[in-house]
Amino acid sequence: MLTREDIFKHVKETYGTSPDYPFKDFSNFAALRHRSNEKWYGLVMNVLPEKLGLHGKEEIDILNLKCPPEIADSLRDGINILPGYHMDKEHWISLVLKRIDPDGKVYNLIEQSFDLTK
């Protein structure tokens, strides 16, 4: 299981960025931005599973990341990695944090998103 705090620690140590909270009505939605151009490379949100086509009643944390379209489909499994919630479905994926193992794969996806949004 991966937590939003794990993500925040990683991006601070790796990219020197801290989350910001741009949405007044969604105060837990945390944008991960480049310091140089302020483009988002990630977005951590808490959403109801039904918004993602999943079962459950309690909010879950997800991480949206940019991904090349040619590999996005192969990553999406309908359970752990989904089309980007509230993003361009072709270029963004959503990871369900409680279902993601904190291995190098997720950090590689974060790095890829970071590089794609420079």
Side-chain angles (χ1 to χ4, degrees):
M1 181 172 118
L2 200 61
T3 66
R4 63 176 43 225
E5 290 76 22
D6 294 331
I7 300 295
F8 298 158
K9 179 181 178 198
H10 173 75
V11 300
K12 180 69 172 172
E13 291 173 355
T14 306
Y15 309 111
T17 60
S18 296
D20 68 65
Y21 300 86
F23 305 108
K24 191 173 190 173
D25 292 340
F26 300 96
S27 59
N28 274 347
F29 285 22
L32 306 175
R33 301 177 191 253
H34 289 273
R35 291 187 329 187
S36 60
N37 62 15
E38 298 204 6
K39 285 185 180 179
W40 294 5
Y41 63 91
L43 181 63
V44 178
M45 297 179 281
N46 53 305
V47 299
L48 290 170
E50 67 187 31
K51 301 278 187 184
L52 305 167
L54 302 173
H55 299 287
K57 302 277 185 206
E58 293 184 30
E59 288 185 337
I60 56 174
D61 282 340
I62 61 171
L63 170 63
N64 281 1
L65 296 171
K66 191 158 191 178
C67 186
E70 57 272 12
I71 66 166
D73 278 340
S74 66
L75 292 173
R76 295 181 187 124
D77 61 13
I79 299 168
N80 306 321
I81 302 177
L82 308 160
Y85 176 68
H86 266 297
M87 303 294 252
D88 176 327
K89 307 284 189 250
E90 184 180 359
H91 293 95
W92 288 82
I93 56 175
S94 292
L95 290 75
V96 180
L97 292 185
K98 73 177 185 178
R99 297 179 178 171
I100 299 293
D101 290 326
D103 62 11
K105 179 178 161 183
V106 70
Y107 297 119
N108 290 340
L109 292 172
I110 293 169
E111 180 178 3
Q112 177 179 256
S113 184
F114 185 87
D115 291 340
L116 286 169
T117 54
K118 285 183 178 175

